[in-house]
Amino acid sequence: MPDPQWTLPEAAFVLDQPLDAIKRDVNRRPLKPEASGPAKRAVRCVGLTDLVYLDMVATYRHTLTPSALDDLYVAVIKESPQSASVSVGPLIVQLKRHRTNVAQRLKALEAVDRAIEIKHGAPVVRGTDIEVHRLAALSAGGATDEEILEDYPSLSLAKIKAATAYARAHPKSGRPYPATSAKRAMQGADLGGLEPFMRPRG
């Protein structure tokens, strides 16, 4: 059975780091991410040891030299899963702490994934037809949780949080959703120019 792999956006979520930072570390460090998926749409993926190492890089990037960070990777991949620490020169790194941190965040990712289901090829909030990336676009566009709940009263605050977290770990490809709901766009639109075409009241 192949070892689990995570995409770079998933790694960014697990490590609670910006995606650009993860991409930079993967490109600069000695990691060798695997390509997953069809050839034309293959994405880079990292394994569990890579996640633990990237968590270490975030902690020690200002303490160790680039060469020492590379040596740290070699040391990490040589250690057994039971090892509590690893040495790089005079520095002793608590390997167990980073493994625990990654394991806890992986559980958070699993919880987010369970809150979402796929319908007609698109991720939606479980038990609804509300698309995850539509909610994430509204949140990124400045809509508050209360405003989103007003537009989608069947949701809960927890479901909105799960949707935005899922969208972070699984970004939408292609054209993004509008950052404003149709309802709020109509509320904020200047409809004065339509008055000549509107039926008079009374």
Side-chain angles (χ1 to χ4, degrees):
M1 184 175 180
D3 293 334
Q5 297 283 316
W6 293 270
T7 65
L8 299 192
E10 287 175 324
F13 175 85
V14 169
L15 301 175
D16 196 22
Q17 296 182 39
L19 178 56
D20 286 345
I22 294 297
K23 289 180 177 179
R24 181 178 62 249
D25 286 336
V26 168
N27 290 335
R28 292 180 179 178
R29 304 274 71 86
L31 284 78
K32 296 180 180 179
E34 297 183 10
S36 176
K40 291 185 178 180
R41 301 182 63 183
V43 295
R44 293 188 296 172
C45 295
V46 294
L48 181 58
T49 299
D50 297 329
L51 289 177
V52 173
Y53 171 70
L54 288 170
D55 193 51
M56 292 178 170
V57 170
T59 301
Y60 296 103
R61 73 169 73 253
H62 300 301
T63 303
L64 297 177
T65 65
S67 177
L69 286 174
D70 292 348
D71 292 341
L72 177 60
Y73 181 72
V74 175
V76 168
I77 62 177
K78 287 182 177 180
E79 290 295 331
S80 71
Q82 289 74 37
S83 298
S85 62
V86 63
S87 299
V88 179
L91 179 66
I92 298 178
V93 178
Q94 297 302 314
L95 187 54
K96 183 178 180 180
R97 177 169 66 88
H98 292 280
R99 284 177 174 155
T100 300
N101 182 45
V102 169
Q104 291 174 342
R105 291 290 296 172
L106 283 173
K107 288 182 179 179
L109 177 61
E110 291 171 1
V112 165
D113 287 345
R114 286 195 300 270
I116 307 302
E117 60 181 319
I118 305 298
K119 284 188 178 181
H120 308 295
V124 300
V125 177
R126 185 170 294 279
T128 76
D129 291 322
I130 303 172
E131 293 172 290
V132 164
H133 293 102
R134 185 179 300 279
L135 297 177
L138 295 178
S139 180
T144 65
D145 292 339
E146 290 72 21
E147 289 172 336
I148 295 175
L149 285 172
E150 184 179 337
D151 289 342
Y152 298 94
S154 63
L155 295 179
S156 65
L157 184 59
K159 289 182 177 180
I160 293 174
K161 296 296 185 186
T164 54
Y166 183 94
R168 179 187 173 192
H170 307 278
K172 182 182 183 298
S173 59
R175 181 179 298 178
Y177 281 111
T180 304
S181 68
K183 176 181 177 181
R184 296 192 181 278
M186 290 295 292
Q187 289 175 343
D190 181 6
L191 303 180
L194 297 179
E195 289 182 0
F197 304 96
M198 297 176 69
R199 180 178 299 175
R201 297 181 180 180

